[in-house]
């Protein structure tokens, strides 16, 4: 008999999702320390990019395996490699070793994207939104708090200490998952190549998946547009503030963590489509506030609306896609997250150009245009 998804197991999955994805963001606040430790070698600045590239490769090459292998074994295996990669980063004698370790850390951090489909599979259909929302709240907390923790560790100790602590945390997480996770034999077994080739077929045959990916891609692009340029705005007059203040805005974004389970419950009770609409409306309202009130108060209110809107849309869209083809949840998650990831990268790049050419008003205009594009997709009927 399959193990039931209890509240305790849901909490374990949420915690593991946050702890695993946090590994992607440990390096960002410590980059200056790392450059100094390697004698000013500019190649160290590629560490965040290597980590993000590893995450993208993990999404494409590892996450689909969850549809053909026991997810418990796959998650534990990735955790073991994550421990080794973090330890390698902690003792890296050269930039090359550090970059390779960062690539592996990014790829193994996709444990979080193995956990989300597992939670969706174990949850009853009538409470899937709530469960996915709870797990996503853990993931979002990991994203937002990782920079704060690593910045503090780097400031009081050194950057290598953070990676060593990360290895220990991953080890404790592995023990927790080894004890708590049930064995979940896959419903079907596929060859690895057929799994990868089926990604295109799933994307073509599931219009609801394509729409969810485009809507959430637009929302994540809006998210990236703001966060990419916030530090640039704050260092300009009249603020003249450093990156530490920009980092504190991440704490404000924790409101989205609280809203994730709420969005999930509303999606279960009232259907996901209305929740997606509310999420898009909040994102559009945030950029209106950013444009009209570029003050600390306006930015704070806008961040709350932006993070809440993005999270509400995310949870509602996931409740839709995870109900499409139960035997292909990992591959569906791969398509969804890869599209969202690419849209976020495009949003960051476009935000940089908008800032240089048009300043903060251009950034706000770009966010509004992308948000309206997401709304247009949401309002269009699936053919």
């Amino acid at each position: 008999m399959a193990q039931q998804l209890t509240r305790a197991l849901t909490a374990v999955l949420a915690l593991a999702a946050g702890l695993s994805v946090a590994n992607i963001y440990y390096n960002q606040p410590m980059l200056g320390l790392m450059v100094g430790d390697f004698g000013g070698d500019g190649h160290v600045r590629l560490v965040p990019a290597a980590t993000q590239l590893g995450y993208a490769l993990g999404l494409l090459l590892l996450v689909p395996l969850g549809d053909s292998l026991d997810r418990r074994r796959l998650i534990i295996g990735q955790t073991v490699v994550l421990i080794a990669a973090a330890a390698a980063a902690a003792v890296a004698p050269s930039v090359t070793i550090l970059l390779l370790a960062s690539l592996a850390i990014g790829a193994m951090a996709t444990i979080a994207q193995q956990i989300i489909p597992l939670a969706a599979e174990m949850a009853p259909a009538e409470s899937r939104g709530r469960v996915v929302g709870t797990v996503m709240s853990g993931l979002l907390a990991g994203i937002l708090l990782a920079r704060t923790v690593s910045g503090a560790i780097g400031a009081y100790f050194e950057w290598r200490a953070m990676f060593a602590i990360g290895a220990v945390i991953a080890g404790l997480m592995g023990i927790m998952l080894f004890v708590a996770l049930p064995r979940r034999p896959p419903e079907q077994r596929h060859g690895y190549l057929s799994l990868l080739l089926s990604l295109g077929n799933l994307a073509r045959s599931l219009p609801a998946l394509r729409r969810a990916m485009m809507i959430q891609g637009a929302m994540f692009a809006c998210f990236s547009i703001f966060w990419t340029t916030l530090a640039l705005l704050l260092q300009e007059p009249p603020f003249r503030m450093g990156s530490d203040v920009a980092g504190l805005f991440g704490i404000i974004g924790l409101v989205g963590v609280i809203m994730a389970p709420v969005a999930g419950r509303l999606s279960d009770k009232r259907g996901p489509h209305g929740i997606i609409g509310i999420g898009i409306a909040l994102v559009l309202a945030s950029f209106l506030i950013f444009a009209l009130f570029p003050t600390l108060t306006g930015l704070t209110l806008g961040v709350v609306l932006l993070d809440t809107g993005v999270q509400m849309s995310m949870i509602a869209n996931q409740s839709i896609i995870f109900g499409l083809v139960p035997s292909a949840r990992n591959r569906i998650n791969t398509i969804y997250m890869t599209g969202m990831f690419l849209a976020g990268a495009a949003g960051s790049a476009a935000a940089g150009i908008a800032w240089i050419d048009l300043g903060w008003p251009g950034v706000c205009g770009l966010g509004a245009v992308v948000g309206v594009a997401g709304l247009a997709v949401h309002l269009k009927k699936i053919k």
Side-chain angles (χ1 to χ4, degrees):
M1 183 178 177
Q3 180 174 334
Q4 295 296 312
L5 185 62
T6 62
R7 289 185 180 274
L9 181 53
T10 301
V12 166
L13 295 177
L15 178 60
L19 292 177
S20 57
V21 79
N23 286 272
I24 305 173
Y25 301 98
Y26 287 151
N27 55 56
Q28 293 180 2
M30 305 187 298
L31 204 54
L33 298 173
M34 296 160 73
V35 171
D37 196 38
F38 283 102
D41 190 335
H43 291 97
V44 177
R45 295 188 177 89
L46 296 175
V47 166
T51 309
Q52 294 288 352
L53 176 60
Y55 194 75
L57 291 173
L59 278 174
L60 181 63
L61 302 177
L62 295 178
V63 173
L65 286 170
D67 287 333
S68 189
L69 300 176
D70 181 348
R71 287 197 185 96
R72 180 179 185 274
R73 294 180 62 185
L74 190 58
I75 290 170
I76 297 300
Q78 283 190 225
T79 303
V80 170
V81 180
L82 176 61
I83 296 167
V91 299
S94 67
V95 175
T96 299
I97 298 299
L98 180 59
L99 289 172
L100 291 173
S102 298
L103 188 73
I105 287 171
M108 296 306 115
T110 54
I111 290 167
Q113 301 305 327
Q114 303 283 5
I115 287 173
I116 294 169
L118 174 61
E121 178 181 295
M122 295 185 68
E126 64 273 11
S127 61
R128 184 173 295 132
R130 177 185 60 79
V131 169
V132 171
T134 300
V135 175
M136 286 298 300
S137 69
L139 184 144
L140 182 61
I143 291 173
L144 293 174
L145 295 178
R147 298 180 183 91
T148 304
V149 172
S150 65
I153 295 295
Y156 289 101
F157 299 95
E158 60 169 351
W159 67 268
R160 293 181 186 273
M162 184 64 248
F163 284 109
I165 292 171
V168 173
I169 291 173
L172 295 174
M173 180 185 75
I175 294 171
M176 176 183 70
L177 292 173
F178 183 82
V179 172
L181 285 185
R183 297 187 182 277
R184 302 286 296 186
E187 297 179 9
Q188 302 175 18
R189 290 194 178 272
H190 307 270
Y192 185 56
L193 183 59
S194 67
L195 275 175
L196 297 184
L197 291 176
S198 68
L199 293 174
N201 293 330
L202 285 168
R204 284 191 296 270
S205 64
L206 297 173
L209 171 59
R210 295 196 302 272
R211 182 163 76 166
M213 181 179 66
M214 288 188 287
I215 292 170
Q216 200 56 37
M219 295 300 96
F220 193 62
C222 289
F223 183 88
S224 300
I225 287 166
F226 172 77
W227 287 103
T228 298
T229 52
L230 175 62
L232 300 175
L233 174 68
L234 291 178
Q235 72 183 13
E236 297 281 318
F239 300 106
R240 300 189 185 280
M241 295 175 176
S243 59
D244 54 340
V245 177
L248 291 176
F249 273 87
I251 305 299
I252 299 170
L254 285 174
V255 172
V257 175
I258 300 171
M259 286 304 300
V262 175
R265 286 193 291 270
L266 289 174
S267 182
D268 289 333
K269 292 180 179 179
R270 301 186 180 182
H273 296 284
I275 304 304
I276 293 170
I278 294 172
I280 295 172
L282 291 176
V283 170
L284 287 171
S286 73
F287 277 96
L288 180 62
I289 291 172
F290 292 148
L292 296 178
F293 305 101
T295 63
L296 287 179
T297 301
L299 292 173
T300 299
L301 177 59
V303 165
V304 171
L305 295 180
L306 175 66
D307 284 11
T308 300
V310 171
Q311 194 70 358
M312 289 182 74
S313 176
M314 167 79 86
I315 301 306
N317 275 310
Q318 285 178 314
S319 71
I320 291 173
I321 65 172
F322 286 139
L324 295 175
V325 183
S327 63
R329 285 194 174 108
N330 270 60
R331 282 168 288 167
I332 285 173
N333 195 44
T334 289
I335 296 166
Y336 177 76
M337 294 301 300
T338 300
M340 193 184 85
F341 186 91
L342 292 174
S348 293
I353 296 171
W355 173 263
I356 293 171
D357 293 340
L358 300 170
W360 186 245
V363 170
C364 295
L366 175 64
V369 168
V370 174
V372 168
L375 178 62
V377 175
H378 174 61
L379 295 177
K380 185 177 180 181
K381 292 183 179 181
I382 298 177
K383 295 183 178 179

